[in-house]
Amino acid sequence: TYAEAVEKAKKGWERLDADSPVPYFPQVCCGWDNNPRFKSTKTVQLDGANPAAFKKALEYAKAFIDAHPNQPPLLTINSWNEWTEGSYLEPDDLFGYGYLEAVKEVFCSR
């Protein structure tokens, strides 16, 4: 599931940071499912991806960033428009601006 993948990634960030000679920057995805490209299920899909779950992943990433004040506050998000892989920030009919609102809520002061 999406939630399980986020938890696994979160645990990996510290390991990757400790093992790397250069700063590690977390990566968060909006979801993943490239099965629509195939006639039968071929790959892993992340069920349960939604703006609330994505927001939780962003909160984990922000906590990681805040815990590393001596490096640039940077993360990557996959991706703006990977529609065929089910990983996109762009507004859609299902969640509207939900993914973009999650980014705003976590990283923009009001």
Side-chain angles (χ1 to χ4, degrees), residues 14-73:
E14 289 297 339
R15 180 184 49 77
L16 291 166
D17 184 57
D19 292 346
S20 177
V22 297
Y24 177 78
F25 303 105
Q27 191 268 338
V28 177
C29 76
C30 304
W32 185 262
D33 181 5
N34 67 354
N35 280 299
R37 293 178 160 187
F38 306 104
K39 291 182 180 182
S40 62
T41 301
K42 302 260 187 195
T43 63
V44 174
Q45 60 191 36
L46 297 178
D47 294 325
N50 58 61
F54 176 66
K55 181 178 178 183
K56 186 71 166 172
L58 293 174
E59 289 169 344
Y60 288 156
K62 185 174 185 319
F64 179 92
I65 291 165
D66 291 346
H68 296 79
N70 295 328
Q71 63 189 46

Side-chain angles (χ1 to χ4, degrees), residues 27-32 54 76-83 85-90 99-100:
Q27 191 268 338
V28 177
C29 76
C30 304
W32 185 262
F54 176 66
T76 59
I77 298 174
N78 176 43
S79 128
W80 177 248
N81 65 349
E82 286 291 346
W83 291 88
E85 282 86 19
S87 184
Y88 54 89
L89 278 169
E90 288 180 311
Y99 286 101
L100 293 171

